[in-house]
């Protein structure tokens, strides 16, 4: 959380706060700018390097002080607190940190993750059993709002690819994902997670998968490397391809399971 007490974005010297979240590769602003309520509030700080912004250890709340706010009398001052989970509104909530992971509560959230490579260094917690339609043609796999377009024919887009691996963590919370469909016959590193590095995946079951690829193909993970940890996970269904094929992991290099 970064404050600028003399910022004029709302009113003269009203002040401003921005919240940032580490994606694993860069700092990304979470939510909108938070401005002071009135001119000369100096919300977030006043001179001398003084900071009036405090964020909780879990990263889910922020308190912002304004020394000269007049809401309860001239220069009486006030403090506002914000629930950051309601500010960010990504996935099912959360901030993507280890203490406050992004929540995956629907299949739409999972597809959102597959399309959000900027979040592949973040932390995730699945909060419910997820079930895709058993007829793969009924699913908007690419999340563009249209079912049955050419991109949907390839099914789910793996989370993590070569040179942009998933490096975060995914805690399945003891839940399952059913009817995952992937048909990428000419692609390598194919699975729910295509390629992971220095990652942690645990407590997740994949049921009735139908996964097809060329090289390094797994129901859960296509390729795993560099100290990744996979624990208490399983798959059922069909996984097929050219070489380096596994029901759980296609190709495992330097990982623990």
């Amino acid at each position: 959380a970064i404050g600028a007490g003399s910022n004029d974005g709302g009113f003269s010297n009203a002040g401003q706060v921005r919240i940032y979240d580490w994606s694993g590769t860069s700092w990304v602003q979470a939510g909108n700018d938070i401005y002071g309520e009135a001119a000369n509030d100096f919300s977030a700080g006043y001179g001398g390097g003084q900071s009036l912004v405090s964020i909780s250890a879990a990263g889910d709340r922020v308190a912002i002080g304004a020394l000269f706010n007049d809401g309860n009398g001239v220069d009486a001052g006030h403090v506002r607190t914000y629930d950051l989970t309601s500010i960010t509104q990504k996935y099912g909530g959360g901030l993507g940190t280890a203490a406050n992971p992004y929540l995956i509560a629907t299949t739409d959230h999972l597809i959102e993750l597959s399309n959000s490579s900027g979040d592949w260094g973040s932390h995730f917690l699945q909060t419910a059993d997820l079930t895709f339609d058993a007829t793969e043609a009924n699913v908007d796999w690419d999340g563009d709002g249209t079912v049955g377009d050419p991109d949907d024919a390839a099914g789910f887009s793996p989370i993590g690819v070569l040179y942009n691996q998933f490096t975060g963590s995914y805690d399945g919370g003891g839940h399952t994902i059913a009817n995952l469909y992937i048909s990428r016959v000419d692609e390598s590193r194919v699975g729910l997670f295509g390629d992971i590095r220095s990652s942690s995946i645990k407590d997740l079951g994949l049921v009735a998968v139908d996964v097809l690829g060329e090289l390094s193909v797994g129901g859960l993970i296509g390729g795993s490397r560099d100290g990744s940890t996979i624990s208490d996970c399983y798959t059922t269904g069909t996984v097929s391809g050219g070489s380096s094929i596994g029901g759980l992991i296609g190709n495992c290099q330097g990982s623990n399971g």
Side-chain angles (χ1 to χ4, degrees):
I2 302 174
S6 301
N7 183 276
D8 297 331
F11 306 93
S12 177
N13 293 327
Q16 174 199 53
V17 171
R18 289 180 176 176
I19 311 296
Y20 289 86
D21 182 34
W22 178 248
S23 71
T25 57
S26 62
W27 289 101
V28 179
Q29 186 172 349
N32 298 320
D33 295 348
I34 303 173
Y35 293 108
E37 292 183 347
N40 299 315
D41 268 9
F42 292 96
S43 182
Y46 177 71
Q50 180 187 58
S51 175
L52 297 176
V53 181
S54 180
I55 194 166
S56 66
D60 58 354
R61 290 186 178 276
V62 65
I64 304 171
L67 281 176
F68 302 113
N69 181 272
D70 297 332
N72 292 307
V74 176
D75 293 342
H78 73 182
V79 173
R80 294 178 292 171
T81 61
Y82 292 87
D83 180 352
L84 298 183
T85 59
S86 65
I87 291 175
T88 57
Q89 295 183 355
K90 294 183 71 172
Y91 306 101
L95 295 176
T97 63
N100 190 12
Y102 288 130
L103 304 180
I104 303 296
T106 68
T107 55
D108 286 344
H109 295 155
L110 198 62
I111 290 173
E112 181 182 354
L113 171 55
S114 76
N115 290 327
S116 302
S117 59
D119 291 337
W120 289 352
S122 299
H123 301 271
F124 296 85
L125 172 65
Q126 187 171 318
T127 60
D129 293 339
L130 309 182
T131 302
F132 291 103
D133 196 297
T135 302
E136 62 269 12
N138 293 336
V139 180
D140 179 18
W141 292 105
D142 61 358
D144 67 353
T146 302
V147 176
D149 59 32
D151 287 338
D152 287 331
F156 186 82
S157 180
I159 302 163
V161 297
L162 184 64
Y163 305 124
N164 190 13
Q165 297 96 344
F166 179 80
T167 58
S169 70
Y170 192 98
D171 182 348
H175 295 291
T176 60
I177 299 171
N179 303 326
L180 178 72
Y181 172 77
I182 305 175
S183 180
R184 299 176 180 271
V185 65
D186 296 323
E187 296 185 22
S188 62
R189 295 174 175 82
V190 176
L192 174 66
F193 294 89
D195 204 359
I196 70 172
R197 177 173 54 84
S198 303
S199 177
S200 171
I201 300 175
K202 66 179 183 179
D203 296 334
L204 178 63
L206 271 63
V207 180
V209 302
D210 184 359
V211 177
L212 172 64
E214 173 57 30
L215 173 67
S216 298
V217 185
L220 179 66
I221 301 164
S224 174
R225 66 185 76 190
D226 296 347
S228 294
T229 301
I230 301 95
S231 59
D232 298 319
C233 295
Y234 67 91
T235 62
T236 68
T238 302
V239 179
S240 54
S243 61
S244 296
I245 314 302
L248 192 67
I249 305 171
N251 189 330
C252 187
Q253 301 175 2
S255 297
N256 303 307

